[in-house]
Amino acid sequence: MRLRVFHARTTAQALSQARAALGDEALILATRRAQGGIEVTAAAPVADDLNDRVVPLAPRRAATDDAIVIALRAHGVPERRIDALASTSSLASSLAELLGFAPLPLGPGTVLLLCGPAGAGKTLTAAKLATRLRIEGVAPAVIAADGRRAGAVDQLAAYTRLLGLNLVVAPDIPRLAKAIARRPMDAPTLVDMAGIDPFCDQDGTELAALIEAVGAAAALVLPAGTDAAEAEDIASAMAARGVRHLLPTRLDVARRIGAVIAAAAAGDLALATAGTGPGATDGLAPLDPATLEAWLLAPPATRRSLRKDVIA
């Protein structure tokens, strides 16, 4: 057998190189993260010295599928989603077909409600989005609507003071509706909502009514390390109330991120951005099919360096 080593940014690309160089009967011996990408070791069969025949080997496609399936199962992705994602040799292409990807609505006059379970990271996400907009030269309106958690308003106020932004406090739905109605129309409005129970009829009804009344867009803020089955239930419940976007948090510290795929697919929620660190200036990163593929295929030990590559 003839051994070759191939380097590429993704597993699919490295496997494609191996097939092109060694043929469809190339045997994949090892796949590992190396030199900022993926290293694949492959072997090609050679003619037997006695009878000049080639020993048949397993098709390359099976090896590609196995690598993807193993990675997705390690992340806790539901089996029915794995079947769809492993149907092609390109995980990024499969992700683009299964999931929705769309920018967060942050144009002039838009209202973005950051909602989800308590402790998901909504307040810090609001601060990160406000910081990113400020760096881009936009002064968003920021509303603190979390009247339940002690210290939530103070935490957000500390960021808005540093950014030179006004913070409007609206601890209940009537005052929040009034604050949104008075918002500036030349910049987006970010609303840090109180934590809600996705399965509580009262919380869900209030959220749906607010979205409809003020014409707001809503993003589900959810930790990437959430149990995948729980994430599916939460996303489905929130989507039924009018939530259309998913903003995963703590992507950098979660060892298994199957919840991102499970929630986005179950609720038909669009992905665009993810929380990848605690910093307000560098704690958000874009999330597209290629980037999500990289997070899914990277070994846990290399996630922190991947976060730096994505931000850069």
Side-chain angles (χ1 to χ4, degrees):
M1 302 185 96
R2 186 159 50 97
L3 295 179
R4 290 278 302 275
V5 178
F6 301 88
H7 297 277
R9 189 177 65 83
T10 68
T11 300
Q13 291 171 350
L15 292 171
S16 179
Q17 291 179 16
R19 185 184 72 234
L22 302 179
D24 289 339
E25 293 185 345
L27 177 63
I28 306 304
L29 301 177
T31 302
R32 71 184 186 92
R33 189 83 181 179
Q35 300 180 4
I38 298 295
E39 179 184 283
V40 168
T41 302
V46 297
D48 187 81
D49 291 337
L50 296 177
N51 55 21
D52 196 34
R53 68 180 178 84
V54 175
V55 178
L57 299 172
R60 184 207 63 85
R61 173 66 180 277
T64 304
D65 290 351
D66 284 348
I68 292 174
V69 169
I70 289 171
L72 294 176
R73 282 180 177 157
H75 282 285
V77 176
E79 282 295 325
R80 65 184 181 282
R81 306 302 182 192
I82 292 177
D83 292 341
L85 292 172
S87 61
T88 69
S89 60
S90 171
L91 179 56
S93 297
S94 297
L95 288 167
E97 292 179 7
L98 177 65
L99 309 179
F101 293 85
L104 290 173
L106 294 172
T110 58
V111 178
L112 179 62
L113 309 179
L114 299 173
C115 52
K122 297 179 294 297
T123 300
L124 183 55
T125 298
K128 291 176 181 179
L129 288 172
T131 301
R132 188 175 73 180
L133 287 166
R134 204 71 171 108
I135 291 173
E136 295 172 353
V138 178
V142 183
I143 301 176
D146 189 351
R148 302 176 184 175
R149 183 171 67 89
V153 173
D154 292 339
Q155 181 185 2
L156 194 53
Y159 284 105
T160 54
R161 280 196 299 270
L162 290 173
L163 295 172
L165 300 173
N166 292 324
L167 177 65
V168 177
V169 179
D172 54 52
I173 294 297
R175 279 182 279 188
L176 175 57
K178 290 181 180 179
I180 291 175
R182 297 169 181 167
R183 71 188 185 278
M185 298 306 294
D186 59 350
T189 296
L190 304 173
V191 183
D192 176 25
M193 299 289 290
I196 69 170
D197 178 353
F199 313 112
C200 172
D201 286 340
Q202 180 178 347
D203 284 359
T205 300
E206 288 180 353
L207 177 61
L210 179 64
I211 291 173
E212 183 176 0
V214 302
L220 169 60
V221 180
L222 193 69
T226 303
D227 174 78
E230 185 75 7
E232 285 186 319
D233 292 345
I234 292 172
S236 296
M238 297 294 280
R241 304 301 186 178
V243 176
R244 296 292 176 261
H245 298 266
L246 174 65
L247 206 163
T249 58
R250 304 166 195 160
L251 196 66
D252 56 320
V253 296
R255 293 180 65 85
R256 286 167 286 277
I257 61 172
V260 177
I261 294 175
D268 193 20
L269 304 178
L271 293 162
T273 304
T276 56
T281 58
D282 63 355
L284 286 178
L287 199 58
D288 54 29
T291 304
L292 184 53
E293 176 193 55
W295 282 101
L296 288 165
L297 297 181
T302 66
R303 296 269 173 80
R304 193 164 296 277
S305 61
L306 177 62
R307 170 182 174 262
K308 295 177 181 178
D309 293 341
V310 169
I311 294 172

